[in-house]
Amino acid sequence: HADAHIGVTVVERFVSEQTLLISAGDEVIPLRTHKIGDAHVSNCLLVAATALAMGIDLPTIVRGLEAVESIPLRMERIECGQEFAVFLDTADTPDRSASCLKTLRQVRQGRVICLANADLVGSSDMRPLVGRVLEKHADVGLITTSGASDAPLHAAHDVLDGYQRPAKAHVIPDREQAIAWAIEHAQPGDCVLIAGCHDTRQNSNGETETQVVRGLLRQETAGDIEELILRIHEA
């Protein structure tokens, strides 16, 4: 947003990609990246500035940035053929949660559904702020826990305290059940943000949260295909 030797202009944004124009001196090159959001735009600028200072030319920098398909748990898009978008992020602070939700509101066609991991938020003072962010930026807010704290239900209540209209929130303490609920209720064009992800933990089946999400999405997609086949036969 200011004059600089290296700059960027956002040309267009979609749920699966964004197109930028990166300029360095008199040279301007388009960049299409599969990672979305203003945070990634800033990261692209940082990479370009560092690489140019090292003597790498701008076309090579752009090709390198375009080769980055995703970064695990950093607005990581999970695609299993479903008709809605699903993103995983480690977001466990009010600022990070707000940033992710604002990114999705820029590209959504339907609703924004967000799961907040209450017991991973840093402190009890921060949890109501996460609730405030959920109420403001998400169309559907799910407050859930992962059992990471000694009092997960108390943590969920802290997040709920941030709502001006608590009845708007959905509290599903079991995180896997909350993820399943979000995927089941997501409609075509919706964006689902599963925040507070940490793949260092595994469930009783030895699955990470990313694996759980992929498994649920495959079940959802398989169900849609079976329903489509049934309709074809009925016709």
Side-chain angles (χ1 to χ4, degrees), residues 59-122:
T60 300
I61 296 168
V62 168
R63 287 197 301 270
L65 288 168
E66 288 184 333
V68 178
E69 293 289 335
S70 67
I71 299 174
L73 304 187
R74 291 292 182 178
M75 287 300 287
E76 179 184 6
R77 184 166 176 258
I78 304 297
E79 177 55 59
C80 295
Q82 75 276 6
E83 295 183 302
F84 50 90
V86 176
F87 292 86
L88 274 59
D89 199 277
T90 58
D92 56 4
T93 66
D95 288 344
R96 180 63 187 166
S97 300
S99 175
C100 293
L101 288 169
K102 288 176 182 177
T103 292
L104 295 183
R105 294 190 73 85
Q106 291 174 333
V107 297
R108 61 141 180 201
Q109 294 178 337
R111 301 169 301 166
V112 174
I113 302 171
C114 179
L115 281 76
N117 197 345
D119 54 7
L120 282 184
V121 178

Side-chain angles (χ1 to χ4, degrees), residues 8 11-12 23 40 69-70 88 98 109 117 119 121-122 124 136 143 149 154 160 163 181 207 212 215 218 231:
V8 65
V11 178
E12 57 185 2
S23 60
H40 189 60
E69 293 289 335
S70 67
L88 274 59
Q109 294 178 337
N117 197 345
D119 54 7
V121 178
S124 58
K136 182 178 180 180
I143 302 172
S149 69
H154 181 74
L160 191 61
Y163 273 77
W181 188 96
E207 297 174 313
V212 168
R218 291 190 185 102
R231 288 179 180 176

Side-chain angles (χ1 to χ4, degrees), residues 91 97 100-101 104 111-117 130 133-134 137-144 163 170 182 191-196:
S97 300
C100 293
L101 288 169
L104 295 183
R111 301 169 301 166
V112 174
I113 302 171
C114 179
L115 281 76
N117 197 345
V130 171
V133 167
L134 276 178
H137 297 294
D139 298 296
V140 180
L142 292 171
I143 302 172
T144 184
Y163 273 77
H170 298 261
C191 288
V192 178
L193 172 65
I194 302 175

